[in-house]
Amino acid sequence: MEEYLARIAPADEVAMRAAAERQGQLTKPPGALGVLEDLSVRVAGMTGVCPPAVPMPAVVTVFAADHGVHAQGVSPWPQEVTAGMLANFAAGGAAVNAFAANNRVEVRVVDVGVATPVEELDIVHAKVRLGTRDLSVEAALTNDEVRAAIAVGFDLADTLVRDGYRCLLTGDMGIANTTASAALIATFTGSTAEVVTGRGTGIDDATLAHKTAIVRSALEKHAVPATDPLGALQAYGGLEHAALAGYILGGAANRVPVILDGVIAGGAALVAQALQPHSIEYCVAGHRSAEPGHAVALKTLGLIPLVDLDLRLGEGTGAVLAYPILACAVRALGEMATFESAGIDS
Amino acid sequence: MEEYLARIAPADEVAMRAAAERQGQLTKPPGALGVLEDLSVRVAGMTGVCPPAVPMPAVVTVFAADHGVHAQGVSPWPQEVTAGMLANFAAGGAAVNAFAANNRVEVRVVDVGVATPVEELDIVHAKVRLGTRDLSVEAALTNDEVRAAIAVGFDLADTLVRDGYRCLLTGDMGIANTTASAALIATFTGSTAEVVTGRGTGIDDATLAHKTAIVRSALEKHAVPATDPLGALQAYGGLEHAALAGYILGGAANRVPVILDGVIAGGAALVAQALQPHSIEYCVAGHRSAEPGHAVALKTLGLIPLVDLDLRLGEGTGAVLAYPILACAVRALGEMATFESAGIDS
């Protein structure tokens, strides 16, 4: 872990200043590209280059795992849907596949802890265990399991960047994973269970009240302080959250932009932030999920979402939707004429 | 004009019902793709097909013109910047070029009324006159000029669809064109000059107060009712607004989605709405501009913007940024597996 964290440096201030200055010379009124101007400056800081290259090719990695707390009835969906959706990803039939095909993003799927065997699927097999333990009864993971799942994500980020990818997007799949996310977000933001627990894929009022009670009781039972990110992953899981935290840290260590998807990535990013605050300088919030905990997480992360369209699917769909916006921001910085080069007297 | 309007039919309710039903069968919780689900249903209605084909290739048409009211000092930019930016578009150096290259959108540039000669540029030459007259002194255009500019936009939409384009995006360029937009938006929304007049490319408080007074006085002077859209274009212009209104009507007549850019397109779409309300069923609001009149226009149009990132540039940048979101929405509807086809028991 210490080796991983030591590889993460702050964003490059010199490149950021050069990018901000260049924004003022491009053929447009100063500030007219709004949020995209800041975004381009941030990417200069991440990559240490001004103007930065267009962050392509891009890849969305869908980390999949199951959750022992599913046994408590926090989701109307059977746990087997996680494995079923993995087959759907592998066959190209899910929403993330359709979005990724449109936006020229490649899709990788990683089994980091699905509760059922999925060896037959053409995906990355890195199962740490068959789902987490039930966080309402005991710690979801051991310290070794947490470290193993973080390593899956970090090492995969290393591999992807070595293979030429220049933008890493987060994705996730796991029935009941908004319950673990709520506990993680409450831990790192100091929010109550009521504020961060939501309807996930769509649950009724009674199930929401039950799910919220489960989260509240787990927060009291485990009582992990915000200063103990590995302890929080042990207490609540999930394996995909741990892998995502590693993947975010790995993206930061490799100085490439990481586009976060929704509430699951939000929980994982809070873990990464607690482990190494500079890692968030490499993160872009793809969208704001309809799940209430996500807005709370983004506030603590200090990130402004690029897209806000009431999505609540996960899989990486919000990150993939945001990717062209990031690419456009970088292209504008690198490819636009300046008033001087265009011969326009401003 | 009557021939144009007669070609516009309402969206296809049968295709929309089929699309809504299909959304309920796809491998995701119902509603989990938020705004994108409604968007896909709307495109089914526009095209009359379920599932609709991906709306590609796409083209953004930048209609450029100048404004006589520039003489009143409503903008800090010299009028010659309009022609300078046309050369920049033609050379591929503007923001819209960078965004369009990223999002696989072609760029067409049309001179429908630039105040200076630009014959040497490789663009579409359809100049109706050398800029409008000063709306603060007299009517900006004659009825014949309005009709000629509308025809430029409508006929170009016909040509583009005949050439194979399946999604039309609006773009615009014209120093001082937010002044004409404010007057148009006030006319069709019943708002005051104060509510709809903004800082455009960036003006100081004193210039904003002056610009607002110009708009207020012009609204009193011409007093065009909301029921007289051609009269409003005569009174205030601009030639690009008239051409854009024609282009929007032409997209609707050809049953292809039209992605609107910002406040200039908003003013033009209100004209189109007043001429033929069904035309707005073919419009998608690309983004919400930072210009205050735009939100007012979108409310009257009944459109929800896909992107809201504080852009205030025009050129079509907001529409181009939104295009992949529209394409993703359509792809999800057409390409995702259903629970039945994926063999998942939901």
Side-chain angles (χ1 to χ4, degrees):
Chain A
M1 183 61 58
E2 289 63 35
E3 268 174 60
Y4 286 158
L5 301 182
R7 284 178 51 198
I8 298 169
D12 186 324
E13 302 259 347
V14 175
M16 289 175 79
R17 273 197 298 276
E21 192 181 336
R22 187 178 170 88
Q23 279 290 356
Q25 299 161 346
L26 300 177
T27 44
K28 60 170 180 57
L33 287 178
V35 171
L36 273 68
E37 297 194 11
D38 298 334
L39 194 55
S40 74
V41 170
R42 292 193 60 212
V43 176
M46 297 172 196
T47 57
V49 178
C50 177
V54 182
M56 59 184 289
V59 59
V60 59
T61 307
V62 184
F63 292 96
D66 279 305
H67 295 262
V69 72
H70 182 272
Q72 300 298 327
V74 291
S75 169
W77 299 78
Q79 192 166 57
E80 292 70 32
V81 169
T82 302
M85 283 301 295
L86 255 61
N88 197 21
F89 296 139
V96 71
N97 300 103
F99 287 15
N102 193 73
N103 292 352
R104 285 170 297 176
V105 174
E106 287 195 46
V107 180
R108 295 288 175 99
V109 181
V110 180
D111 170 15
V112 67
V114 177
T116 42
V118 289
E119 286 84 8
E120 76 284 7
L121 297 178
D122 181 19
I123 60 173
V124 179
H125 295 283
K127 202 192 288 285
V128 171
R129 56 173 278 125
L130 293 161
T132 55
R133 298 171 193 84
D134 183 350
L135 63 86
S136 73
V137 176
E138 59 188 320
L141 296 167
T142 66
N143 185 271
D144 281 351
E145 289 161 353
V146 165
R147 288 172 185 272
I150 290 176
V152 167
F154 196 106
D155 295 346
L156 184 63
D158 270 351
T159 302
L160 291 169
V161 175
R162 195 164 56 235
D163 288 351
Y165 293 101
R166 288 298 171 264
C167 189
L168 305 185
L169 284 65
T170 79
D172 56 84
M173 178 68 219
I175 298 299
N177 63 6
T178 57
T179 302
S181 293
L184 290 173
I185 292 169
T187 297
F188 295 105
T189 65
S191 308
T192 62
E194 284 69 21
V195 169
V196 298
T197 309
R199 292 177 192 272
T201 48
I203 54 178
D204 60 20
D205 289 350
T207 311
L208 176 61
H210 174 60
K211 180 179 173 183
T212 305
I214 295 270
V215 172
R216 188 190 313 114
S217 155
L219 289 170
E220 284 165 11
K221 177 183 180 64
H222 299 292
V224 184
T227 50
D228 183 12
L230 297 185
L233 285 174
Q234 264 185 254
Y236 312 116
L239 288 155
E240 75 273 51
H241 294 81
L244 281 165
Y247 181 76
I248 292 164
L249 294 167
N254 285 286
R255 306 199 71 110
V256 298
V258 178
I259 307 183
L260 305 177
D261 190 35
V263 72
I264 313 303
L270 288 167
V271 171
Q273 183 180 44
L275 285 165
Q276 169 49 281
H278 288 305
S279 64
I280 306 306
E281 296 167 23
Y282 298 83
C283 291
V284 172
H287 81 127
R288 171 159 45 207
S289 160
E291 191 74 2
H294 192 212
V296 179
L298 289 176
K299 197 171 171 202
T300 297
L301 293 166
L303 298 175
I304 296 168
L306 296 181
V307 170
D308 189 358
L309 294 171
D310 235 17
L311 302 182
R312 50 183 176 78
L313 181 57
E315 301 182 0
T317 46
V320 175
L321 216 51
Y323 169 66
I325 298 176
L326 176 69
C328 283
V330 174
R331 273 193 195 259
L333 182 65
E335 298 176 8
M336 279 178 71
T338 63
F339 281 112
E340 195 179 345
S341 74
I344 299 174
D345 184 1
S346 62
Chain B
M1 184 60 59
E2 289 62 36
E3 266 174 61
Y4 286 159
L5 301 182
R7 284 178 52 198
I8 299 169
D12 186 323
E13 301 260 345
V14 175
M16 292 176 76
R17 272 197 299 276
E21 191 181 337
R22 188 178 168 89
Q23 279 290 356
Q25 299 161 346
L26 300 177
T27 45
K28 58 172 182 53
L33 287 178
V35 172
L36 274 68
E37 298 193 10
D38 297 333
L39 195 55
S40 74
V41 170
R42 291 194 60 212
V43 177
M46 295 172 198
T47 57
V49 179
C50 177
V54 183
M56 61 184 288
V59 58
V60 59
T61 306
V62 185
F63 292 96
D66 279 307
H67 296 261
V69 72
H70 182 271
Q72 301 297 328
V74 292
S75 170
W77 298 78
Q79 193 167 55
E80 292 69 34
V81 170
T82 303
M85 284 301 295
L86 254 60
N88 197 23
F89 296 139
V96 70
N97 301 104
F99 287 14
N102 193 74
N103 292 353
R104 285 170 297 175
V105 173
E106 288 195 45
V107 180
R108 295 287 174 100
V109 181
V110 180
D111 170 17
V112 66
V114 177
T116 42
V118 290
E119 284 84 9
E120 77 284 7
L121 297 179
D122 182 19
I123 61 174
V124 178
H125 295 284
K127 201 193 289 284
V128 171
R129 57 173 279 128
L130 292 162
T132 55
R133 298 171 192 85
D134 183 350
L135 64 85
S136 73
V137 176
E138 58 188 319
L141 295 168
T142 65
N143 185 273
D144 280 353
E145 289 161 354
V146 165
R147 288 172 185 270
I150 290 176
V152 167
F154 196 106
D155 295 346
L156 185 63
D158 269 351
T159 302
L160 291 168
V161 175
R162 196 164 53 235
D163 288 351
Y165 292 101
R166 289 296 173 264
C167 188
L168 305 185
L169 284 64
T170 80
D172 57 84
M173 179 67 218
I175 298 301
N177 63 7
T178 56
T179 301
S181 295
L184 289 173
I185 292 169
T187 298
F188 295 104
T189 65
S191 308
T192 63
E194 285 68 23
V195 169
V196 297
T197 309
R199 290 176 193 273
T201 49
I203 55 177
D204 60 21
D205 288 351
T207 310
L208 177 59
H210 174 61
K211 180 178 173 183
T212 305
I214 296 272
V215 172
R216 188 189 313 116
S217 154
L219 289 170
E220 285 166 10
K221 178 183 179 63
H222 299 292
V224 183
T227 49
D228 184 12
L230 297 185
L233 285 173
Q234 264 186 255
Y236 312 115
L239 287 154
E240 74 274 50
H241 295 81
L244 281 164
Y247 181 76
I248 292 164
L249 294 168
N254 284 285
R255 305 199 71 110
V256 298
V258 178
I259 307 184
L260 305 177
D261 189 34
V263 71
I264 313 303
L270 288 167
V271 171
Q273 184 180 43
L275 285 166
Q276 169 49 282
H278 288 305
S279 65
I280 306 308
E281 295 168 23
Y282 297 84
C283 291
V284 172
H287 82 127
R288 173 159 43 207
S289 161
E291 191 74 2
H294 193 211
V296 178
L298 289 176
K299 197 170 169 204
T300 298
L301 292 167
L303 298 174
I304 297 166
L306 296 181
V307 170
D308 189 359
L309 294 171
D310 235 15
L311 302 181
R312 50 181 176 80
L313 181 56
E315 299 183 1
T317 47
V320 175
L321 215 51
Y323 170 64
I325 298 175
L326 176 69
C328 282
V330 174
R331 272 193 195 261
L333 181 65
E335 298 176 9
M336 280 178 71
T338 62
F339 281 112
E340 194 179 346
S341 73
I344 299 173
D345 184 0
S346 62

